[in-house]
Amino acid sequence: MTDTLRPRRSALYMPGSNTRALEKAKTLDVDCLILDLEDAVAPDVKQDARQNITAAVKGGGYGDREVVIRVNGMDTPWAGDDLVAAVNAAPDAILIPKVNAPADLERVAQQLKVLDAPKGLELWAMMETPEAMLNAAAIGACGKDAGVNLSCFIMGTNDLAKETGARLLPGRTVMIPWLMTCVAAARAGGIDIIDGVYNNFQDAEGFSAECAQGADMGMDGKTLIHPKQIEACHAAFSPSEDEIAWARRINAAFAEPENAGKGAIQVDGKMVERLHAEMGRRVIAIADAIAARSAV
Ligand code: COA
Ligand code: MG
């Protein structure tokens, strides 16, 4: 579980085989980078991609961006070497694909221990198999298991569609039960959750609508496939000026001496409870964290 609040509004994937993208990432205003060894990399260039990613992460230059390496699935021939390379490169987190159950993460945690990985190294889990949807609560609970150090779910909606037969339609009606189940599982485990990708990166309108939907669902951010998606993503997942002002107003109201003993008060004609003040403090903390990183 993460103890410091980090904005995770955007997580841009890039194939480890694409050195231009690995370099370009250093200039992009994005919260997280997912350097991929898995689906975006063809089998015959897996080894090159591993070398590129190791060199890039070791070389640094990514500033405040959270650097995450997505390794190949644990049942593939590449997984062992991927984990060794990832530990050697020392990113912020390793993203495990096709997680089906807590045991999958526990096994990786065990391997990391054998590799003497630093304690602070986080695990992120792709939620993208039918099994994961059925085991979401148990997987999310790994967020409370110090031995696993799980800090984030990434929704893998393309794989989920492939494995279940469910269609990825505008509005994502058929996916909503799984998406919301994973939001609840993440929150119960005290971890973050980042929404799936929007494949048609030329469709700005459809993308914005899906960002807004993810934000309404309670997602912390969205995974992206192209730099042109970053700006709209940040617009959807950053607290607005109005939200920040409202959060400050209700916290100020509860701080008034006459409201000290009250659980519910009236602000601008609306009923607010202490839980709203608490939600407001999270909004303020996220806004402050975003402002702090834009200032760098
Ligand atoms: N990360 C970093 N930079 C990227 C990028 C990415 N995901 N996608 C594109 N760029 C860069 C390009 O290198 C190019 O930079 P340059 O002009 O400075 O050289 C610029 O953005 C414009 O790219 P563009 O020509 O529009 O796209 P492309 O044809 O180079 O790439 C894709 C299109 C879809 C192949 C590419 O965006 C991509 O590989 N996305 C990620 C796919 C992925 O990782 N999928 C796995 C998870 S779903
Ligand atoms: Mg996948």
Side-chain angles (χ1 to χ4, degrees), residues 12-15 18 20-22 24-25 28 36 39-40 70 158 197 199 201-202 224-228:
L12 176 65
Y13 282 105
M14 62 206 64
N18 184 343
R20 168 78 197 132
L22 295 175
K24 179 147 183 120
L28 299 171
D36 194 20
D39 284 346
R70 183 165 77 169
N158 280 329
V197 297
N199 296 324
F201 60 84
Q202 307 293 0
L224 311 177
I225 46 173
H226 194 282
K228 65 160 65 157

Side-chain angles (χ1 to χ4, degrees), residues 38-39 70 98 128 159:
E38 200 220 10
D39 284 346
R70 183 165 77 169
K98 317 279 187 312
E128 57 184 349
D159 272 278

Side-chain angles (χ1 to χ4, degrees), residues 92-295:
D92 294 297
I94 299 179
L95 173 57
I96 310 298
K98 317 279 187 312
V99 171
N100 287 323
D104 295 332
L105 293 175
E106 286 156 11
R107 254 193 311 275
V108 174
Q110 195 52 42
Q111 282 170 269
L112 291 178
K113 217 162 146 189
V114 172
L115 293 172
D116 212 14
K119 285 236 175 320
L121 179 63
E122 295 176 1
L123 283 187
W124 289 18
M126 291 297 306
M127 297 296 280
E128 57 184 349
T129 67
E131 289 86 347
M133 298 307 105
L134 299 172
N135 294 327
I139 301 170
C142 290
K144 302 214 156 144
D145 178 346
V148 175
N149 206 19
L150 177 71
S151 69
C152 196
F153 274 172
I154 301 280
M155 293 312 303
T157 37
N158 280 329
D159 272 278
L160 204 46
K162 170 175 170 267
E163 295 303 319
T164 60
R167 296 203 171 104
L168 272 175
L169 302 168
R172 300 191 294 180
T173 322
V174 296
M175 290 263 171
I176 290 173
W178 293 325
L179 294 166
M180 291 312 303
T181 296
C182 289
V183 169
R187 299 314 177 202
I191 64 171
D192 288 336
I193 175 165
I194 305 180
D195 203 355
V197 297
Y198 191 78
N199 296 324
N200 185 357
F201 60 84
Q202 307 293 0
D203 170 16
E205 205 177 312
F207 175 68
S208 286
E210 205 172 277
C211 284
Q213 184 194 38
D216 284 345
M217 286 173 167
M219 300 278 178
D220 293 289
K222 194 162 177 69
T223 42
L224 311 177
I225 46 173
H226 194 282
K228 65 160 65 157
Q229 295 181 314
I230 298 170
E231 202 178 322
C233 176
H234 283 187
F237 288 98
S238 305
S240 69
E241 293 297 324
D242 284 353
E243 281 170 319
I244 299 165
W246 174 245
R248 292 197 198 283
R249 200 141 77 244
I250 57 182
N251 272 284
F254 271 112
E256 293 288 338
E258 75 260 27
N259 291 329
K262 296 185 188 159
I265 57 172
Q266 192 194 128
V267 178
D268 297 350
K270 291 193 201 99
M271 186 275 285
V272 295
E273 297 177 65
R274 286 190 180 269
L275 68 93
H276 296 113
E278 201 181 308
M279 286 162 69
R281 284 197 291 280
R282 188 178 153 79
V283 168
I284 293 165
I286 290 180
D288 286 348
I290 292 167
R293 32 173 335 171
S294 330

